[in-house]
Amino acid sequence: MTLIRLQDCPPSPWKNGGGSTRQLLISPAGAGLDDFDYRISLASVASDGPFSRFDGVDRQLLILQGAGLELELDGRGRLRLTPGGEPLAFAGETPAQSRLLDGPLTDFNVMTRRGRYRSRLGRLTLDGALELRADAELTLLLALEDGARLWHDGRPQPLAAWDAAVARRGETLRLQAARPLSLWRVELEAVDPA
């Protein structure tokens, strides 16, 4: 089991140079933006503009903070994304143009190489104690606010907003909170080549 602190993830420029991203997880380790199997990140968006193109990649995007954005996707028209909404799934090679609704925002991106990995996202509520056994090859829990504690190395570790816990299949994530807190769960599975 791995604990990923957002503060330990340095910002890096977007592929198209139009913003910055904090990468939480990439596979294989050391992969670049053109050869990863999967990549999970948070992006700071401060201006309107085109999305980076990722050929052969399936993307899921959701808004964590800010008013949101309007995304124009070729073939799908204009879509409005706001905090609390469902993830938007789209192909990374689809031309996409974004317009901020009212100021900067932070979004959450899950990208998987088509034919190699697939992802599933869902919300969880942590109310008291939670034990979650990882049934997928990799399960990541993203804290949406401060207040959760994760049992790591035999002791509780505080989770700040946008910190993440990662477990491999068969491992169990144990969390506690004194009040109900929201989390996003990401499950990643390799695609069977047969």
Side-chain angles (χ1 to χ4, degrees), residues 1 3 5 149-158 174-176:
M1 202 256 312
L3 174 58
R5 299 225 179 261
R149 289 181 299 151
L150 171 74
W151 288 91
H152 185 256
D153 292 335
R155 57 194 173 94
Q157 299 282 330
R174 293 177 177 86
L175 297 98
Q176 288 183 322

Side-chain angles (χ1 to χ4, degrees), residues 6 9 15 18 20 25 30-31 35 43 61 69 82 91-92 96 98 104 114 125 129 132 136 144 150 188:
L6 183 67
C9 302
K15 187 176 179 183
S20 67
L25 199 59
D35 61 352
L61 172 73
L69 61 80
T82 55
S98 68
R114 197 171 303 128
T125 299
L132 180 70
L144 297 183
L150 171 74
L188 296 170

Side-chain angles (χ1 to χ4, degrees), residues 68-169:
L69 61 80
E70 186 177 81
L71 188 63
E72 186 160 356
L73 282 175
D74 269 14
R76 293 176 67 179
R78 287 191 179 122
L79 305 168
R80 193 178 188 95
L81 304 176
T82 55
E86 291 302 310
L88 173 68
F90 62 101
E93 59 270 18
T94 304
Q97 182 76 25
S98 68
R99 183 183 66 79
L100 296 173
L101 296 179
D102 185 19
L105 60 81
T106 301
D107 65 30
F108 183 56
N109 295 275
V110 177
M111 294 188 271
T112 52
R113 182 76 50 196
R114 197 171 303 128
R116 290 192 207 161
Y117 274 84
R118 66 178 176 271
S119 64
R120 184 172 52 245
L121 275 72
R123 281 191 189 93
L124 283 178
T125 299
L126 172 59
D127 190 1
L130 172 70
E131 285 199 5
L132 180 70
R133 183 179 169 83
D135 293 324
E137 180 178 328
L138 183 140
T139 299
L140 178 143
L141 294 181
L142 180 75
L144 297 183
E145 51 192 315
D146 295 344
R149 289 181 299 151
L150 171 74
W151 288 91
H152 185 256
D153 292 335
R155 57 194 173 94
Q157 299 282 330
L159 282 181
W162 307 340
D163 286 348
V166 178
R168 303 283 174 179
R169 191 183 320 275

Side-chain angles (χ1 to χ4, degrees), residues 28-44:
L33 295 180
D34 294 317
D35 61 352
F36 61 81
D37 287 339
Y38 58 80
R39 181 173 186 256
I40 300 175
S41 61
L42 283 86
S44 297

